[in-house]
Amino acid sequence: MRGLGIVFIAMAILAGPRAAAETAKNNYNAYCVQCHGLRGNGMGLNTDEMSVQPRDHSDAKSMSGRSDKELFKVIKEGGLAISKSVLMPAWKDVLSDDEINDLVGFLRDVCKCTHGN
Amino acid sequence: MLALAATPALAKSSGTILLQERCATCHDLKGPAAVTLSALRMRKGPDLFYAGNKYRAGWLVRWLEKPTRIRPAGMFYLDHIKPGPKRDVIDTTTLTPHLALNAGDAVSAAEALMGLKANGKLLGTKPFIPGPSPMGEMTFDKFYGCTACHEIEPEFGGLSGPEVYTAGRRLTPEFMLSFIRDPQAWNPKGLMPNKHVPEANIPKLVNFLIELAKKDWK
C-alpha cells in the first residue's frame, strides 16, 4: 500500500499543475472573445486578416443549424473536426468536458436559440 | 584574487535584488504557473521563473535597455480591447510601456534571469540543431493556423498573442520546441492551444521562426 501511495504522489508531481474548472463566461472571455469578439458577433480582435471569419454566435439562424453535439465537438477538437477552418483550435487540453458542455449552454444563451429553433 | 572571485556572486546578487525590487510586482519569479483564470489575469507580465530556459541572454540585455511591445494587446488582451466600428480593437490608452534599465542593471537583471531555470525537464536533453524550414510559413499559417493569434510580420496576423516574427531572437529553440509541443505544461491556463503538431513537424516550425527573426524587422 505504501508503494502504491508513493506511485500516486509521483504521478501527481509528474502531471504538473492542475488547472481549476472555470465558469463558461470566464472561459468564453478568456479563450473565445479574441476571435469571436466582445459582442460574440465573430468580429474579434484577431479577425482583420483572417481568411475565414469566425462564427457569429449571436446569429440565431446560423447557430440553430448546429447541434449541441457539433458545438461540443468543434470546441473540443477544433474546426477541422467538423470540416471547418483550422483557425478554430482544439481546446481539449485547456478545457474539461464539463467546461465545454457549459460553454455549449453559454453559446445557446448568446444566440438565444436551440438546435433547429 | 579574493575580490575577483567574489565579483560574479556579487553581480548575481545585485541582479536578484533588482528583480525582486523592480520586476516582482508584475512578473512571477517563483512559480508555479497560474492554475485559475483569475490568477492568470493578475499577471501583468510573462512568468519569469523559467526565464533562464526560455530567453536568449543577449536579447534579454538588449531588450531590457530598450524595451519594445511584444504583445500588441498587452499581457491579457481582454483587459486592453474595446468594441470598434467593425471589430474589436486595442484600447491603447490602457497599455503602459515596460520600464527600461540602464546598461549595468540590464546585464545584472539578465544574469539573474538566466539563473531562473524551472521546468528544465520539459526541454529534454538534446540541443536543438537548426536546419532549413521548407514550407515553414505555409506550415505555420495554413496548416496550423498560428497566424490567427500571432503576427508573422508587423501588422499581419492576430493581435492577442505575442508577435512571432521576433520569437527566434528572443527565445531559445529548445523552449520553442517544448512550448509548441505542450503549451499547457508551461502554462496550464494560457491562451496558446495545443495544436498537436506531429513531432516531425515541430522542428520545421522552430526553424521557420529562427529564419523569420533574421529579417530586418526592427
Side-chain angles (χ1 to χ4, degrees), chain A residues 17-20 22 26-27 29-31 33-34 37-39 43 45-50 86 89 91-94, chain B residues 35-37 77-78 83-84 86-88 90 142-143 148 155 157-160 184 189-191 193-196:
Chain A
R18 284 178 65 87
E22 309 282 350
N26 283 346
N27 278 327
N29 283 339
Y31 303 111
V33 163
Q34 55 188 323
L38 287 163
R39 291 168 287 204
M43 299 303 281
L45 175 70
N46 288 338
T47 57
D48 199 8
E49 281 109 12
M50 276 189 179
V86 69
W91 291 106
K92 61 185 173 187
D93 300 283
V94 179
Chain B
V35 292
T36 65
L37 281 174
Y77 76 95
L78 195 64
K86 189 170 183 185
R87 60 176 53 82
D88 297 343
I90 296 170
K142 304 298 181 194
F143 294 172
E155 298 182 21
L159 299 170
S160 59
Q184 279 65 49
K189 286 289 186 181
L191 304 187
N194 187 333
K195 298 295 287 187
H196 292 276

Side-chain angles (χ1 to χ4, degrees), chain B residues 50-211:
Chain B
Y50 49 82
N53 285 327
K54 177 179 179 180
Y55 297 111
R56 293 177 184 267
W59 174 84
L60 269 178
V61 174
R62 292 190 296 277
W63 190 85
L64 287 169
E65 277 191 81
K66 292 182 180 175
T68 56
R69 182 163 299 288
I70 294 166
R71 298 164 187 265
M75 187 59 203
F76 199 91
Y77 76 95
L78 195 64
D79 295 327
H80 304 288
I81 61 171
K82 60 184 179 182
K86 189 170 183 185
R87 60 176 53 82
D88 297 343
V89 295
I90 296 170
D91 181 355
T92 54
T93 63
T94 65
L95 296 171
T96 51
H98 191 278
L99 61 85
L101 300 180
N102 65 42
D105 283 351
V107 170
S108 297
E111 187 178 308
L113 287 169
M114 294 312 290
L116 303 180
K117 296 266 192 185
N119 293 351
K121 286 182 180 174
L122 297 174
L123 299 175
T125 53
K126 294 180 185 172
F128 184 82
I129 300 170
S133 57
M135 299 203 304
E137 182 169 339
M138 187 177 285
T139 305
F140 192 87
D141 184 9
K142 304 298 181 194
F143 294 172
Y144 297 115
C146 310
T147 48
C149 301
H150 299 283
E151 288 183 316
I152 55 169
E153 61 180 67
E155 298 182 21
F156 184 81
L159 299 170
S160 59
E163 66 191 22
V164 291
Y165 55 91
T166 58
R169 297 177 198 173
R170 296 185 276 113
L171 310 173
T172 66
E174 290 81 9
F175 173 78
M176 291 191 279
L177 196 82
S178 174
F179 193 74
I180 293 169
R181 179 186 291 133
D182 188 357
Q184 279 65 49
W186 294 88
N187 189 2
K189 286 289 186 181
L191 304 187
M192 166 97 166
N194 187 333
K195 298 295 287 187
H196 292 276
V197 179
E199 196 62 29
N201 280 354
I202 301 177
K204 293 179 186 173
L205 292 175
V206 174
N207 281 321
F208 166 65
L209 294 173
I210 291 171
E211 289 301 311

